[in-house]
Amino acid sequence: MATLTFSAAQSSSVSGFNHRARHSNLFFVRAPRFFNRLKRRNLSVKNIASDQRQELKDPSVNGEASLETLDSASIAASIQCHAEFTPLFSSEHFDLPKAFVATAESVRDSLIINWNATYKYYEKMNVKQAYYLSMEYLQGRALLNAIGNLELSGAYADALRKLGHELEDVAGKEPDAALGNGGLGRLASCFLDSLATLNYPAWGYGLRYKYGLFKQLITKDGQEEVAENWLEMGNPWEIVRNDVSYPVKFYGEVISKPDGRKEWIGGENITAVAYDVPIPGYKTKTTINLRLWSTKVAPNEFDLRAYNAGDHAKACAALKNAEKICYILYPGDESIEGKILRLKQQYTLCSASLQDIIAHFERRSGKPVNWENFPDKVAVQMNDTHPTLCIPELIRILIDLKGLSWKESWDITQRTVAYTNHTVLPEALEKWSLDLLQKLLPRHVEIIRMIDEELIHTIIAEYGTEDLNLLQHKLKQMRILDNVELPDSVLELLVKQEESSAVDSIKEVRVSDKETESTDEEQAEEQDTDAKDVVTFDPDPNLPKMVRMANLCVVGGSAVNGVAEIHSEIVKNEVFNEFYKLWPEKFQNKTNGVTPRRWIRFCNPDLSKIITKWTGTDDWVLNTEKLSTLAKFSDNEDLQSEWREAKKRNKIKVADFVKEKTGYIVNPDAMFDVQVKRIHEYKRQLLNIMGIVYRYKKMKEMSPEERKARYVPRVCIFGGKAFATYVQAKRIVKFITDVGTTVNHDADIGDLLKVVFVPDYNVSVAEVLIPGSELSQHISTAGMEASGTSNMKFAMNGCILIGTLDGANVEIRQEVGEDNFFLFGAEAHEIAGLRKERAEGKFIPDPRFEEVKAFVRNGVFGHYNYEELMGSLEGNEGYGRADYFLVGKDFPSYVECQEKVDEAYKDQKRWTKMSILNTAGSYKFSSDRTIHEYARDIWRIQPVRLP
């Protein structure tokens, strides 16, 4: 790769700006000393697919501090240079969008210095690296996070003020990167931040989605989806690597070569191109890389003849087929085309990333390459089942392209790859049609069949073939291929066992014939009994043949981890119990965490100052254990007063934000009650809004004086996206917005109750809402939420949780104290019994719940027909009915718990103490702690601090 070059510099003066103007004319720019310093460095970002080594002469590698000398004047001049010489906007005005891009490019210059130094040093030391593969990275805005990690916030604020802008206004022009949707993607981004901060050698890999998931609009009809436009003005953080690209193949056929090796030929060929995004650590030079893949085809795939003949669709078909792979996160998979597209996305991520990782390893290793060392230098973490195809793809590359044997390749893969499970929901444990996979990835299906065969022989070796009922059960639970015929090698083994058993049976019969004679009726009964005991391993022709991706992850990986203590126990005892019995050493827990930099230090500066003051240090940002110091001051009146003032300022920001986004005016003196997360039935936004409807109905039945005495004023805030094809979730969004429309315009209720749905919930919205929240709802059906991470963010910011004993709620409650958590609802071990009780018609609904349903059906909240939504909570069985998520069962407990919330909030001294103790007890839930555990127990990598 060519060495990066920077503009020459003449002077550091800043000229031609009216410092007080918001839109200043850029008359001329004198290139700064900053760029002179950069020019004197011979910097490079290496192409890991190339064997060429570039020299990197950066004094920061040798200990000279390269960024400490940056002052506001040189930063301002750097911003000017980018505004003039690397513009994405016209030159007439230096307005906010242009100021943002120029500022981001200025910051990126600093990141590149550390970025190059980091990987040059890793190359030199040849350290083991972790590679994190995820379909999502929900990063949020990068500017404030980057300059905060570089400790340049003050200098950039001063520099922009010199140029006529405020840093906060400039940062507000950055769109959220549309690379993720929910907790899975946010966790991945927190992990990258912690990896860099803790100096662990690591890369992230993902896809560069052009339109993200979707931008959510809230209209009178509920949720509407439009394409995200986050790349419309360019992305100043990314650097395209046109010389880092890899071929990715679909379809075609597999042929056997004369030497017995397999070759995958023909089919559809695309190219994955790398886009790199630097990820800086906090108070460290370490800057790691997030590599995102975009897809294209070679120019010769464009059919010029068809284009000139007027058949434009045919001419562009190959181009469009390649490009659409990276259009949308999670394209709808109701159609066969949608399923194919999702599989193409997953395979593109896996194939391009592994080719890149292997090229990296080969270059470091020199020649000859010792593949046995691959797991000693590489750890690949699959974030959920989306990257499962890493397993057969790594084996394919090792066998077909590198010439290793099956045994060598299978051993290397099992020692390299690890799997994080994020769900116990059956529909989220991915299964793919075998026929579809066979069509799209024929070579990989061959390899998956080999893995499945290897697994079956392992099961037989463990449990034998004497008890065929037991064997059938084990295979049904554990096989990767579901409803697929057994391999020939296994059938031969079973036939031999059957023949052996038959001989033994004949001998037994002969022995018994000498002693007794049986009647024809007795023989007939014995035959009937034998017929009932017949065990068959034949597939059911009425059911589809499927590939179970989660089973493949467990079999092919070195480790399987859940993401909270209760979740990991469910993984071991229920989801993968048969595998746990076979390989207990594989299973671990790694409770999730969130980065305290973004989620307290940068998004809540008022609270951060208070924490630093009362703990006596700002080391808590890196060592969150020091947050526990706050507990001993929780009754201190001065701390409580400062705490309440900080919360009030944050609530005013939330009120301003709500007015801007929804038009509703809310009272900052009311309790801010928030539930923001992906809209899903198991997360039970429906329980929350039904509780609000009950509250509203009771208010309406009271006199104004009774209402005021009974109820604490509340602002109930919702946010989150319903998947575009998830009809029931979209009904819930519609219901929430309809309730809000009615309640918020009811003059009798006034400020006692407001209901707000904030559209297009994302990281930037969370960074406003979470610091100003006072009660946060984490109310999923027990045993169904793997962990949750927003619960951790809320607790860190002094927000009190109401929730079930589910996911990380269990551990949060332990750490913050039972008295500082509002608990309700059935527990995980009760859920199966409660569903069985419902199916048997024994459930008796609470009268209050029936009252709410009747109230909704009366049309109080508009003309929309909510029969399908209310009907889902009724009946004893059937898809979409029988209240599978136990909203009705937990409703009375929830309502009564909310009454306790009101009582606690009336005592502000008590409430503030609870708030302080939530922050003090949240120290465990830093992603730094989680990453240390991954590094030690799964990846076996060590921190590498630059000299």
Side-chain angles (χ1 to χ4, degrees):
M1 178 174 291
T3 301
L4 290 174
T5 57
F6 297 87
S7 301
Q10 301 294 328
S11 168
S12 64
S13 63
V14 181
S15 303
F17 283 86
N18 177 353
H19 296 172
R20 288 171 291 182
R22 286 288 181 188
H23 301 286
S24 305
N25 291 324
L26 189 63
F27 296 117
F28 65 91
V29 178
R30 295 172 185 164
R33 288 190 307 265
F34 176 76
F35 275 70
N36 264 331
R37 290 199 300 272
L38 292 178
K39 188 181 180 186
R40 285 195 295 269
R41 302 165 192 255
N42 182 19
L43 295 171
S44 69
V45 177
K46 293 175 295 301
N47 170 9
I48 69 168
S50 169
D51 288 331
Q52 295 179 352
R53 294 180 179 269
Q54 305 283 350
E55 290 301 319
L56 178 127
K57 298 174 182 177
D58 183 354
S60 67
V61 177
N62 299 318
E64 180 184 327
S66 60
L67 301 180
E68 292 174 359
T69 55
L70 291 181
D71 54 23
S72 60
S74 60
I75 288 173
S78 166
I79 294 171
Q80 281 185 279
C81 277
H82 280 293
E84 179 70 11
F85 298 118
T86 56
L88 293 176
F89 299 85
S90 58
S91 60
E92 285 79 11
H93 299 287
F94 188 69
D95 54 10
L96 283 173
K98 185 173 183 177
F100 159 67
V101 171
T103 302
E105 288 173 337
S106 168
V107 176
R108 192 185 69 180
D109 292 342
S110 298
L111 297 183
I112 286 174
I113 296 170
N114 286 346
W115 192 20
N116 280 312
T118 300
Y119 282 98
K120 177 68 175 179
Y121 193 66
Y122 290 170
E123 289 278 316
K124 177 182 175 183
M125 301 302 293
N126 194 19
V127 294
K128 182 176 183 180
Q129 288 190 203
Y131 299 92
Y132 198 81
L133 271 63
S134 178
M135 289 294 287
E136 293 188 47
Y137 289 92
L138 197 58
Q139 293 177 287
R141 292 169 174 166
L143 178 58
L144 293 180
N145 191 74
I147 62 175
N149 279 356
L150 292 170
E151 298 181 273
L152 292 173
S153 299
Y156 267 90
D158 290 344
L160 284 167
R161 213 168 285 121
K162 286 180 167 70
L163 302 179
H165 292 299
E166 294 296 324
L167 174 58
E168 187 174 326
D169 296 333
V170 171
K173 289 302 176 182
E174 179 177 5
D176 277 41
L179 299 172
N181 174 41
L184 183 83
R186 186 53 238 169
L187 179 76
S189 293
C190 282
F191 279 2
L192 293 186
D193 177 272
S194 287
L195 284 163
T197 297
L198 301 175
N199 302 296
Y200 282 113
W203 284 51
Y205 284 104
L207 295 181
R208 181 180 179 269
Y209 302 107
K210 186 173 182 179
Y211 301 116
L213 185 72
F214 57 80
K215 185 184 288 290
Q216 181 193 52
L217 306 178
I218 300 298
T219 70
K220 62 181 179 61
D221 299 316
Q223 172 182 295
E224 292 185 10
E225 306 90 22
V226 297
E228 273 277 9
N229 61 348
W230 76 288
L231 289 173
E232 187 176 12
M233 294 296 179
N235 179 9
W237 301 109
E238 68 183 14
I239 300 174
V240 60
R241 305 298 189 200
N242 287 313
D243 58 339
V244 181
S245 62
Y246 298 96
V248 179
K249 180 187 289 294
F250 307 108
Y251 305 109
E253 61 177 332
V254 180
I255 62 170
S256 295
K257 300 172 75 173
D259 61 0
R261 292 171 60 190
K262 297 293 184 74
E263 184 177 3
W264 182 16
I265 62 170
E268 177 184 308
N269 298 287
I270 67 164
T271 300
V273 180
Y275 284 73
D276 287 349
V277 180
I279 308 294
Y282 178 70
K283 289 189 175 183
T284 177
K285 296 174 188 175
T286 300
T287 301
I288 66 172
N289 190 34
L290 171 59
R291 178 156 283 179
L292 303 172
W293 300 108
S294 188
T295 46
K296 68 176 186 178
V297 292
N300 59 12
E301 294 286 342
F302 180 76
D303 192 337
L304 189 59
R305 181 174 298 177
Y307 189 85
N308 286 331
D311 192 348
H312 300 154
K314 179 183 176 184
C316 300
L319 177 66
K320 292 300 180 185
N321 278 336
E323 286 183 346
K324 71 181 181 182
I325 292 172
C326 291
Y327 276 172
I328 298 291
L329 169 65
Y330 303 140
D333 60 354
E334 300 296 314
S335 66
I336 188 67
E337 292 81 9
K339 289 180 171 65
I340 290 171
L341 188 55
R342 279 210 187 187
L343 269 173
K344 282 186 172 183
Q345 286 185 333
Q346 293 184 4
Y347 180 61
T348 298
L349 170 64
C350 294
S351 181
S353 301
L354 280 171
Q355 289 182 72
D356 201 41
I357 292 166
I358 287 171
H360 198 176
F361 171 74
E362 288 181 312
R363 193 186 68 251
R364 285 187 179 189
S365 300
K367 295 182 180 180
V369 175
N370 184 353
W371 290 101
E372 179 66 21
N373 290 339
F374 189 77
D376 299 325
K377 296 297 181 183
V378 172
V380 174
Q381 188 70 36
M382 300 182 295
N383 191 27
D384 215 342
T385 54
H386 307 126
T388 304
L389 289 168
C390 278
I391 294 167
E393 175 67 359
L394 180 53
I395 294 172
R396 181 190 74 85
I397 293 172
L398 293 176
I399 294 177
D400 295 356
L401 304 182
K402 306 302 176 183
L404 275 66
S405 68
W406 158 259
K407 183 179 179 181
E408 291 171 322
S409 302
W410 180 226
D411 176 67
I412 288 169
T413 300
Q414 285 188 299
R415 290 163 53 208
T416 300
V417 177
Y419 162 54
T420 299
N421 173 272
H422 283 278
T423 184
V424 300
L425 295 175
E427 67 270 21
L429 292 171
E430 283 187 297
K431 290 184 179 182
W432 288 104
S433 160
L434 179 62
D435 292 338
L436 181 60
L437 263 176
Q438 177 70 54
K439 179 181 177 183
L440 191 70
L441 301 169
R443 179 58 176 140
H444 296 76
V445 169
E446 288 185 350
I447 293 169
I448 291 170
R449 285 185 182 276
M450 294 168 72
I451 298 172
D452 186 59
E453 184 173 356
E454 186 97 7
L455 171 64
I456 295 170
H457 282 289
T458 301
I459 294 169
I460 290 174
E462 180 72 17
Y463 298 105
T465 57
E466 291 78 14
D467 187 341
L468 293 182
N469 282 299
L470 174 65
L471 181 60
Q472 184 191 51
H473 170 76
K474 297 292 181 184
L475 295 181
K476 186 174 180 61
Q477 295 296 314
M478 300 174 72
R479 281 193 68 186
I480 296 162
L481 299 178
D482 184 27
N483 198 43
V484 175
E485 63 282 349
L486 290 172
D488 291 342
S489 64
V490 178
L491 288 173
E492 290 172 7
L493 193 64
L494 292 177
V495 167
K496 289 178 182 177
Q497 171 65 28
E498 187 178 345
E499 289 172 350
S500 175
S501 300
V503 170
D504 292 340
S505 176
I506 291 169
K507 289 179 180 177
E508 289 172 8
V509 170
R510 284 175 180 169
V511 169
S512 62
D513 282 349
K514 293 179 181 178
E515 299 174 356
T516 183
E517 292 183 1
S518 60
T519 65
D520 291 342
E521 288 138 359
E522 287 171 336
Q523 289 177 358
E525 285 177 9
E526 286 174 7
Q527 288 174 355
D528 287 343
T529 303
D530 290 343
K532 291 175 185 175
D533 291 340
V534 168
V535 177
T536 177
F537 295 90
D538 293 334
D540 186 336
N542 298 313
L543 296 175
K545 298 179 178 183
M546 305 297 288
V547 181
R548 297 190 281 199
M549 307 304 270
N551 287 22
L552 178 54
C553 286
V554 175
V555 175
S558 62
V560 180
N561 72 278
V563 290
E565 287 180 359
I566 185 175
H567 171 237
S568 294
E569 290 304 305
I570 292 171
V571 165
K572 290 191 295 186
N573 298 326
E574 297 178 29
V575 182
F576 297 125
N577 182 245
E578 298 297 345
F579 289 108
Y580 176 63
K581 291 174 184 175
L582 186 61
W583 299 308
E585 70 283 353
K586 275 194 181 189
F587 288 81
Q588 303 184 19
N589 175 59
K590 295 288 172 278
T591 298
N592 283 343
V594 299
T595 167
R597 271 76 63 186
R598 183 180 287 269
W599 292 110
I600 307 184
R601 178 66 182 82
F602 301 146
C603 78
N604 199 342
D606 287 343
L607 187 66
S608 296
K609 290 173 185 174
I610 293 170
I611 294 171
T612 297
K613 174 183 173 181
W614 286 86
T615 60
T617 177
D618 64 356
D619 286 350
W620 61 268
V621 182
L622 285 170
N623 301 298
T624 50
E625 295 85 357
K626 296 188 177 181
L627 290 174
S628 62
T629 306
L630 292 169
K632 65 184 180 183
F633 303 116
S634 60
D635 286 312
N636 186 286
E637 290 186 3
D638 291 337
L639 173 58
Q640 287 203 359
S641 176
E642 293 173 21
W643 202 269
R644 280 193 293 270
E645 288 172 9
K647 182 65 74 173
K648 180 64 177 289
R649 287 193 292 271
N650 286 325
K651 288 175 69 177
I652 291 171
K653 291 177 184 176
V654 172
D656 292 341
F657 180 81
V658 166
K659 182 179 179 182
E660 176 190 348
K661 296 297 181 183
T662 70
Y664 289 128
I665 297 173
V666 298
N667 182 5
D669 291 324
M671 179 202 297
F672 280 16
D673 171 353
V674 179
Q675 187 180 18
V676 283
K677 53 184 76 231
R678 179 166 51 95
I679 309 296
H680 197 291
E681 288 171 278
Y682 91 81
K683 293 179 184 287
R684 299 203 295 190
Q685 287 91 351
L686 185 55
L687 174 60
N688 186 351
I689 193 64
M690 295 285 275
I692 291 169
V693 169
Y694 179 76
R695 187 183 188 92
Y696 175 63
K697 183 176 186 297
K698 292 301 160 187
M699 283 182 173
K700 293 291 286 181
E701 294 168 356
M702 295 178 180
S703 68
E705 294 75 22
E706 287 175 318
R707 281 186 217 123
K708 190 171 181 181
R710 172 76 180 274
Y711 289 106
V712 166
R714 284 206 201 193
V715 178
C716 301
I717 301 174
F718 293 83
K721 294 179 179 179
F723 191 67
T725 58
Y726 190 175
V727 176
Q728 192 75 328
K730 294 178 80 169
R731 287 190 184 116
I732 293 170
V733 174
K734 169 67 173 164
F735 184 35
I736 294 168
T737 58
D738 281 352
V739 171
T741 300
T742 299
V743 170
N744 298 345
H745 293 94
D746 191 326
D748 292 339
I749 302 303
D751 283 343
L752 268 183
L753 183 62
K754 297 291 183 185
V755 180
V756 177
F757 194 102
V758 177
D760 206 38
Y761 178 68
N762 57 24
V763 175
S764 295
V765 174
E767 289 172 334
V768 176
L769 293 183
I770 290 174
S773 301
E774 293 173 287
L775 180 74
S776 180
Q777 307 223 19
H778 302 274
I779 57 178
S780 52
T781 311
M784 302 200 77
E785 182 73 85
S787 168
T789 52
S790 65
N791 46 8
M792 302 170 184
K793 298 164 194 167
F794 280 102
M796 277 187 175
N797 283 272
C799 184
I800 301 161
L801 275 54
I802 179 172
T804 53
L805 283 179
D806 196 26
N809 282 0
V810 177
E811 293 162 78
I812 291 173
R813 182 168 176 262
Q814 290 170 352
E815 298 298 334
V816 305
E818 294 180 5
D819 293 339
N820 305 306
F821 184 106
F822 293 105
L823 177 67
F824 76 95
E827 296 185 28
H829 68 273
E830 301 175 289
I831 301 302
L834 291 170
R835 287 181 178 142
K836 183 173 183 289
E837 178 186 90
R838 182 77 181 233
E840 293 171 351
K842 298 177 182 177
F843 172 67
I844 300 174
D846 188 271
R848 291 167 290 186
F849 189 60
E850 296 301 288
E851 186 182 341
V852 170
K853 289 191 295 180
F855 191 59
V856 173
R857 283 174 162 138
N858 284 339
V860 175
F861 303 110
H863 302 296
Y864 185 83
N865 184 356
Y866 281 108
E867 189 56 40
E868 288 290 340
L869 190 60
M870 296 299 106
S872 72
L873 305 173
E874 298 173 335
N876 296 322
E877 58 185 352
Y879 179 76
R881 295 185 66 83
D883 193 11
Y884 183 78
F885 300 99
L886 304 182
V887 173
K889 174 64 182 177
D890 280 349
F891 184 80
S893 175
Y894 177 71
V895 167
E896 289 156 14
C897 191
Q898 287 285 15
E899 292 172 357
K900 295 176 184 176
V901 171
D902 276 2
E903 287 304 310
Y905 195 78
K906 289 175 183 177
D907 183 351
Q908 278 294 292
K909 181 175 177 61
R910 175 191 171 194
W911 187 274
T912 305
K913 179 178 180 179
M914 293 171 71
S915 175
I916 293 168
L917 290 174
N918 264 265
T919 298
S922 68
Y923 66 90
K924 173 182 175 180
F925 304 103
S926 166
S927 51
D928 294 353
R929 186 264 315 151
T930 313
I931 285 299
H932 276 312
E933 293 177 3
Y934 272 101
R936 181 191 65 213
D937 302 334
I938 297 179
W939 305 331
R940 294 178 173 83
I941 60 174
Q942 299 295 325
V944 179
R945 183 178 289 275
L946 274 66

